[in-house]
Amino acid sequence: MQIISTNIAKPTTIIFDGEAVITGIYKTPTNQPIYLGKETVKGDEVSDRENHGGEFKACYLFSENHYAYWKNLYPNLDWNWGMFGENLTIKDLDETQIHIGDIYKLGSALVQITQPREPCYKFGVKFGTQRVLKQFVKHGCPGTYVRILEEGFVKTGDHFQLIEKAKSSLTTAQFHKLLFSENRNQDHLKLAINIEALPQYKRDKMREYIK
């Protein structure tokens, strides 16, 4: 996996249901290294602190490989890296291969895979339709957030170096299914409640689904 683009946002005001809302989803590429802090990417707008940023959502990664699929669905949008609100656009990020808890060296930072993206209405506003939320979930390629174990700079061209593979974990794709499927895999649920790289509220939610 390799960084194709580093992206940050300035605060942008959108209108939803007649109300003005500030968002940081409108990210654009930057030509310089960005600094991954413990709770946010330095210089990046995080307006909704309840659902974005923080220890388990400090930085969002999305795969370059999925762009062609979405460009085909929405050809009239103004496409550029960062379109999905990701801080890092990654070549060959595969949600079926990365595991929650995996630790990577990236640039001068140390990062840990945490949880997939769950789209909200702001994503729908950016794409011009709230239908995109269901399409995003159904596609099953949500990217991933990372926890920053060691702060540091990353830049375009940096490669991921696997430092530690998670044990008794789930892939990002498997956990994404647990979030949105009606018939949840019970074995996967029992694994999820013990994954320390997930925030406690997510583990508690998985516990509710165990039969």
Side-chain angles (χ1 to χ4, degrees), residues 175-199:
F175 187 69
H176 185 257
K177 276 192 173 184
L178 289 183
L179 289 172
F180 295 104
S181 297
E182 292 185 4
N183 298 313
R184 294 176 173 86
N185 185 306
Q186 291 293 305
D187 290 334
H188 288 178
L189 287 171
K190 291 171 184 176
L191 275 177
I193 63 174
N194 292 310
I195 299 176
E196 293 184 357
L198 287 172

Side-chain angles (χ1 to χ4, degrees), residues 76-132:
N76 296 323
L77 296 180
D78 184 15
W79 283 95
N80 205 341
W81 303 128
M83 188 66 183
F84 297 86
E86 77 271 20
N87 298 109
L88 300 176
T89 312
I90 307 297
K91 179 181 180 181
D92 295 332
L93 186 154
D94 184 344
E95 290 89 343
T96 68
Q97 299 300 314
I98 57 174
H99 287 75
I100 296 171
D102 287 349
I103 297 174
Y104 292 90
K105 184 71 174 177
L106 183 61
S108 61
L110 193 68
V111 305
Q112 182 179 47
I113 304 297
T114 56
Q115 58 187 309
R117 166 79 170 275
E118 298 170 63
C120 70
Y121 72 89
K122 296 172 187 176
F123 185 69
V125 171
K126 185 173 186 182
F127 272 70
T129 173
Q130 294 300 312
R131 291 196 306 268
V132 73

Side-chain angles (χ1 to χ4, degrees), residues 43 54 60 70 98 101 110 145 172 174 178 205-206:
Y60 177 48
W70 291 103
I98 57 174
L110 193 68
Y145 287 100
T172 304
Q174 287 171 328
L178 289 183
K205 189 65 178 177
M206 296 301 104

